[in-house]
Amino acid sequence: MPASILSSDLTGPVLVTGGGGFIGSNLLLTLAARHPELTFVNLDALTYAVVPATVDELARSIPNYVFERADIVDEAAVRAVVERHRPQLVLHLAAESHVDRSILEPRRFLETNVMGTFNLLTACRDLWAGDPGVRFHHVSTDEVYGSLGDEGYFTETTPYSPRSPYSASKASSDHLVRAFHETYALPVTITNCSNNYGPRQHPEKLLPLMIHNAMARKPLPVYGDGLNVRDWLYVTDHVEAIWQVALRGRVGETYNVGGDAERTNLDVLKALLDAVSERTGDDREELERLVAFVKDRPGHDRRYAIDATKLKTELGWRPTRSLEDGLRETVDWYVSNPGWVASARENGYDAWVQKQYVTEGRS
Ligand code: NAD
Ligand code: TYD
């Protein structure tokens, strides 16, 4: 089995799952622009998480693009797509991704994230039948490691300790991917990444929610005391890490990915409001008055922090932006793309925010 496949050796189709979502769409747009010679197949169920304007953009912008609408929970459908396109590389991103939803509706997380991953693994194992020139890359999260105190970082050897239905389902999927490598010699790699931000993110997630609400002068709901810490990474830096690990990472290995940008939620919100005010001319103090402390998320992990030394030393990857620059670019993208923002709203995001508040007893 070769230690890595170089992108020049990659000739077969690349199958991306979840390509209509936030990271998947940024990945497809970035990689297709760089590799117009490759065919990209997007297998996606188009769940609530996909903004229709993103689907249109993908179809418009990618030269060799094939869209396959399918649910990864449907074993026969997954097998049919895999057999039809015979991918050389699979980048598996499809997942239920929002922690708050996993608290309210955990079953779907287990179905998609665990059984969906299992279906994809078995279909690839059967298609590839020991071929060494192929790769299955699994995109996962730092949340599988649990919650840190004030000190320390997650490394690739930190024991798994997931604490939400979302992170438990992602942890299960990581274990399955490793098991398929050990048991069936499936050539796999895994990345576990910190919180992403950037263009085309569903407005249920912290930063786009705050941008949308700030621009609409709606309350900015901060869970608990706002002192939970996350590490933030600009989405295209994550895309680059996925691509480098998938092509050049050691088979069977896991690589942590992080932005060296740890902030409390309140600090990241303040930096975001600076960027909004700078871009729109809105009064900074007026924006800050919108901050509303609300009931905390149950089991809210206190701190995530990533040690990405392995990825940096083995593959030379680095985050390319400071958080402040990344936030300026992000705000600029949302302000410059009102059509996408309208599409996200029409897709029912306000209804979800409403539902979440009602269900959790906030007013
Ligand atoms: P997202 O919610 O924006 O997109 C998820 C995509 O998966 C959508 O296109 C959706 O339609 C698709 N999908 C969901 N269920 C499906 C099913 N049953 N069958 C087929 N397609 C289905 O998520 P994202 O933020 O782009 O995250 C992508 C991946 O990266 C996930 O695996 C997530 O766990 C992981 N990840 C995300 C972050 C982050 O900060 N967003 C950080 C680390 C890892
Ligand atoms: P989120 O974007 O949901 O990502 P994750 O929980 O996977 O890290 O949330 C990021 C942080 O922001 C997390 O600590 C929860 C917090 N948060 C709020 O304070 N208010 C909100 O409205 C949301 C969605 C999140």
Side-chain angles (χ1 to χ4, degrees):
M1 188 175 296
S4 62
I5 39 176
L6 299 173
S7 59
S8 56
D9 297 335
L10 187 62
T11 51
V14 179
L15 174 64
V16 176
T17 70
F22 163 49
I23 301 172
S25 59
N26 282 287
L27 177 138
L28 280 167
L29 291 166
T30 304
L31 296 182
R34 192 183 304 167
H35 292 286
E37 77 285 5
L38 293 176
T39 296
F40 289 88
V41 180
N42 176 16
L43 188 171
D44 198 309
L46 300 186
T47 68
Y48 82 91
V50 177
V51 174
T54 301
V55 179
D56 297 342
E57 186 183 6
L58 292 173
R60 259 199 333 269
S61 320
I62 303 180
N64 299 316
Y65 178 63
V66 181
F67 176 59
E68 290 277 9
R69 186 165 191 176
D71 186 332
I72 56 172
V73 178
D74 180 343
E75 185 187 359
V78 171
R79 201 167 274 279
V81 171
V82 166
E83 284 172 3
R84 187 154 51 245
H85 296 287
R86 309 183 70 80
Q88 186 182 1
L89 172 64
V90 172
L91 303 176
H92 176 36
L93 291 91
E96 288 291 341
S97 69
H98 190 38
V99 174
D100 290 332
R101 282 180 194 260
S102 84
I103 294 167
L104 297 171
E105 300 160 17
R107 179 176 297 276
R108 188 67 195 159
F109 283 69
L110 298 185
E111 290 167 350
T112 288
N113 299 357
V114 184
M115 288 312 296
T117 300
F118 173 75
N119 288 337
L120 207 58
L121 285 166
T122 49
C124 290
R125 178 201 60 189
D126 296 348
L127 174 78
W128 289 337
D131 181 348
V134 295
R135 197 72 91 242
F136 184 103
H137 180 76
H138 178 58
V139 177
S140 192
T141 167
D142 60 352
E143 303 191 25
V144 298
Y145 298 121
S147 183
L148 289 165
D150 292 341
E151 305 279 311
Y153 295 88
F154 297 136
T155 72
E156 290 79 1
T157 55
T158 301
Y160 274 32
S161 182
R163 291 158 32 98
S164 73
Y166 165 65
S167 53
S169 67
K170 291 297 291 187
S172 309
S173 66
D174 294 6
H175 291 318
L176 274 173
V177 172
R178 278 192 203 101
F180 269 64
H181 173 62
E182 297 297 335
T183 308
Y184 306 110
L186 195 75
V188 307
T189 45
I190 301 178
T191 42
N192 291 84
C193 187
S194 62
N195 287 60
N196 285 211
Y197 68 99
R200 303 176 193 84
Q201 187 169 27
H202 192 280
E204 67 189 355
K205 304 283 174 25
L206 178 72
L207 293 180
L209 176 80
M210 295 301 182
I211 296 172
H212 288 267
N213 282 13
M215 284 168 34
R217 296 289 187 281
K218 289 184 177 174
L220 308 176
V222 173
Y223 297 167
D225 61 8
L227 299 181
N228 302 66
V229 173
R230 297 290 183 265
D231 172 73
W232 294 94
L233 182 68
Y234 194 77
V235 61
T236 49
D237 284 337
H238 185 194
V239 165
E240 197 58 43
I242 292 169
W243 192 237
Q244 292 307 323
V245 171
L247 296 184
R248 297 168 51 228
R250 282 183 290 137
V251 168
E253 293 286 320
T254 289
Y255 294 81
N256 281 353
V257 189
D260 297 327
E262 265 187 70
R263 299 285 192 284
T264 64
N265 290 339
L266 274 180
D267 282 345
V268 78
L269 179 53
K270 284 181 182 163
L272 182 77
L273 295 183
D274 288 342
V276 171
S277 164
E278 203 179 286
R279 175 66 173 78
T280 62
D282 288 343
D283 183 71
R284 176 68 180 72
E285 283 173 22
E286 193 188 326
L287 292 177
E288 186 129 359
R289 281 196 292 275
L290 296 171
V291 172
F293 289 90
V294 299
K295 194 175 147 205
D296 208 355
R297 169 188 285 172
H300 193 175
D301 288 341
R302 194 63 174 171
R303 176 170 169 260
Y304 303 144
I306 280 276
D307 178 346
T309 305
K310 180 175 172 182
L311 178 59
K312 290 175 180 169
T313 53
E314 280 190 24
L315 300 179
W317 175 90
R318 294 274 181 290
T320 61
R321 290 165 179 77
S322 68
L323 178 63
E324 286 66 26
D325 285 347
L327 289 175
R328 272 189 216 104
E329 272 184 62
T330 302
V331 168
D332 186 54
W333 188 88
Y334 286 93
V335 173
S336 308
N337 286 277
W340 188 95
V341 171
S343 176
R345 279 184 192 286
E346 284 156 19
N347 202 32
Y349 118 84
D350 277 335
W352 161 252
V353 172
Q354 187 89 25
K355 174 172 166 246
Q356 187 184 22
Y357 274 58
V358 171
T359 314
E360 299 207 355
R362 299 184 196 123
S363 59

